[in-house]
Amino acid sequence: AQSVTQPDIHITVSEGASLELRCNYSYGATPYLFWYVQSPGQGLQLLLKYFSGDTLVQGIKGFEAEFKRSQSSFNLRKPSVHWSDAAEYFCAVGPPASGGYQKVTFGTGTKLQVIP
Amino acid sequence: DTAVSQTPKYLVTQMGNDKSIKCEQNLGHDTMYWYKQDSKKFLKIMFSYNNKELIINETVPNRFSPKSPDKAHLNLHINSLELGDSAVYFCASSPLDSQNYGYTFGSGTRLTVV
C-alpha cells in the first residue's frame, strides 16, 4: 500500500531564509508525487507535481521539489521564504494513472511558521 | 468563476440529523472526490466518482452516501449525524488524462455536530 511520511509536524523559519520540507514515500514503483499548500480556512492548492523525467520540478510561488528514487524522498524547497508562505504543506503520493482514476494518499502535513 | 465550489461553507447541526453538502466543478474534469480532514489535519479519501460512476468507496459508514447526478456535480448526504462526523469535508476534481492530473480542491465545508 502506498504511504507518505512528513517527519516534521511544525517548522519555523525566518523571513528571507531558505526552506526545506521533508517527504518520504512508500510505493512499489515510481509513483506520482505532489505537494499541496493549505492556507488557514482554505482548500488545498497544488504547488507542483512529479510524474517522470527531470527529477527537479518547479512549481508555483517559487517552490521546487526534487525526486530522489534512492531515498524515496520528494522534498520541497524554497530559497527565500516570504511571510505569506506561512501555511500547512502536504505531500501526497498516487499510483501512475492509466487513463483512469487516481487514489492519492496525503501525508499528515507540516505547518510552516514564518517569523519576521 | 470558482473552479470547485462547495456549499455550505459551514454547517452546524445536532446529532441524529441528516444533512447534505453540495459540490460543483466547472473545469470539465471527469473525476470527483470527497475527502475528510480531521482535527489533526489528516486527509482521508472517502469516495470517488468517474463520470457519474462510483469507483472508490473507502471504509466509510453507510450513513454517508454520495450522489453524482452528472459529471460536474458530486453531493454528499449524511444520515443520523454523530459527534465523530465533525470535520472539514473537501470536494476535489481531477482530469482523466495522466499528464494533467492533480486535484483541484474546493474550499471545504466545516461540519460541526453538537
Side-chain angles (χ1 to χ4, degrees), chain B residues 2-15:
Chain B
T2 305
V4 180
S5 60
Q6 292 179 232
T7 54
K9 192 169 175 63
Y10 300 97
L11 189 51
V12 181
T13 188
Q14 291 186 326
M15 282 175 56

Side-chain angles (χ1 to χ4, degrees), chain B:
Chain B
D1 267 350
T2 305
V4 180
S5 60
Q6 292 179 232
T7 54
K9 192 169 175 63
Y10 300 97
L11 189 51
V12 181
T13 188
Q14 291 186 326
M15 282 175 56
N17 284 351
D18 303 339
K19 290 292 178 187
S20 292
I21 305 172
K22 295 186 175 182
C23 178
E24 176 182 3
Q25 55 99 359
N26 62 5
L27 299 166
H29 292 168
D30 289 281
T31 311
M32 296 184 72
Y33 307 81
W34 279 110
Y35 273 80
K36 179 181 180 180
Q37 187 175 49
D38 63 22
S39 58
K40 296 186 178 179
K41 298 294 183 93
F42 181 65
L43 275 155
K44 185 171 166 51
I45 191 167
M46 301 173 69
F47 302 103
S48 175
Y49 270 75
N50 185 11
N51 199 14
K52 300 193 296 176
E53 180 184 348
L54 181 65
I55 52 173
I56 295 176
N57 186 352
E58 290 294 289
T59 309
V60 176
N62 57 15
R63 298 181 293 104
F64 290 78
S65 54
K67 261 197 189 145
S68 181
D70 56 60
K71 77 172 195 178
H73 295 84
L74 179 60
N75 304 322
L76 183 65
H77 188 76
I78 316 169
N79 289 326
S80 303
L81 277 155
E82 300 177 355
L83 293 176
D85 298 332
S86 295
V88 181
Y89 292 85
F90 285 102
C91 178
S93 70
S94 174
L96 200 61
D97 66 294
S98 54
Q99 279 304 309
N100 292 310
Y101 73 47
Y103 291 174
T104 300
F105 280 88
S107 56
T109 295
R110 182 175 292 276
L111 172 64
T112 304
V113 182
V114 297

Side-chain angles (χ1 to χ4, degrees), chain A residues 18-82:
Chain A
S18 63
L19 171 70
E20 182 168 29
L21 301 182
R22 297 184 290 164
C23 172
N24 292 97
Y25 69 89
S26 174
Y27 188 72
T30 300
Y32 284 27
L33 294 159
F34 309 86
W35 274 101
Y36 286 84
V37 60
Q38 184 179 24
S39 298
Q42 301 296 315
L44 284 78
Q45 181 183 21
L46 180 64
L47 282 175
L48 46 78
K49 59 189 178 185
Y50 172 77
F51 291 161
S52 63
D54 192 347
T55 56
L56 184 64
V57 292
Q58 302 296 321
I60 62 171
K61 305 185 181 190
F63 285 93
E64 67 177 26
E66 186 171 13
F67 170 62
K68 291 186 177 179
R69 183 192 308 274
S70 61
Q71 298 176 22
S72 297
S73 69
F74 188 57
N75 293 349
L76 182 71
R77 301 193 294 247
K78 186 169 185 178
S80 177
V81 170
H82 188 262

